[in-house]
Amino acid sequence: MKQLIKRIFNQDASDNQSSGTTHQAPTPEKTPYEIIGGESGTRALANRFYDIMESDPYAKPLYDMHPLPLDRIRQVFFEFLSGWLGGPDLFAEQYGHPRLRMRHMPFTINKDLRDQWMYCMNKALDLEVDNPLLREGLRKSLAQLATHMINHD
């Protein structure tokens, strides 16, 4: 997964260098986790994602799949994002390898739910990630991840 992020960001960085854009791209020295603002930025993204899911009628079927209250799932998502973005690997330390597709197999995930998930994530990215290069790279990577979770027609 981290290799995928690096590939996307390296491509975007090359594209932006030729167009004169100077936004910082993630590097081995400066991870997406650091660029987003470390723990506070990662937590803000996770919480904003669930705030949107909870309040937007378009995402109601997705919201209805989640156990309430959302406190625990917000924390688990923050822990996953922390490691996925190149920060502390909190999820793996507590639960082991994410194995996201396997962990999501008990739930029927179709294209509509994937689209609802991406709708919430795209809105959260727009509100929480100021760096356009990082935001677009994350959008691409998360879209691929969300599509990988589809397990039902």
Side-chain angles (χ1 to χ4, degrees), residues 69-89:
L70 293 176
D71 300 344
R72 182 178 179 285
I73 198 73
R74 284 175 186 264
Q75 177 64 25
V76 169
F77 189 48
F78 157 72
E79 292 167 354
F80 167 75
L81 284 176
S82 176
W84 189 77
L85 291 169
D89 211 355

Side-chain angles (χ1 to χ4, degrees), residues 71-152:
D71 300 344
R72 182 178 179 285
I73 198 73
R74 284 175 186 264
Q75 177 64 25
V76 169
F77 189 48
F78 157 72
E79 292 167 354
F80 167 75
L81 284 176
S82 176
W84 189 77
L85 291 169
D89 211 355
L90 304 173
F91 185 95
E93 290 169 8
Q94 190 159 358
Y95 307 103
H97 188 282
R99 293 185 170 89
L100 292 180
R101 188 161 164 80
M102 182 193 74
R103 290 180 193 266
H104 287 82
M105 275 299 176
F107 309 100
T108 299
I109 301 174
N110 58 25
K111 182 185 177 307
D112 290 340
L113 286 172
R114 187 270 325 261
D115 291 349
Q116 291 167 29
W117 194 93
M118 280 308 303
Y119 170 85
C120 296
M121 181 51 71
N122 283 330
K123 287 182 87 169
L125 288 168
D126 289 342
L127 294 167
E128 296 297 333
V129 180
D130 294 334
N131 181 313
L133 181 59
L134 178 61
R135 185 176 51 245
E136 293 311 308
L138 292 175
R139 195 180 316 276
K140 288 177 186 177
S141 292
L142 289 164
Q144 290 177 343
L145 181 61
T147 298
H148 183 66
M149 294 299 106
I150 295 174
N151 60 21
H152 210 268

Side-chain angles (χ1 to χ4, degrees), residues 44-62:
L45 179 60
N47 283 332
R48 180 72 74 161
F49 170 81
Y50 280 104
D51 290 346
I52 293 164
M53 183 194 302
E54 196 169 17
S55 64
D56 195 306
Y58 175 69
K60 183 164 178 23
L62 179 64

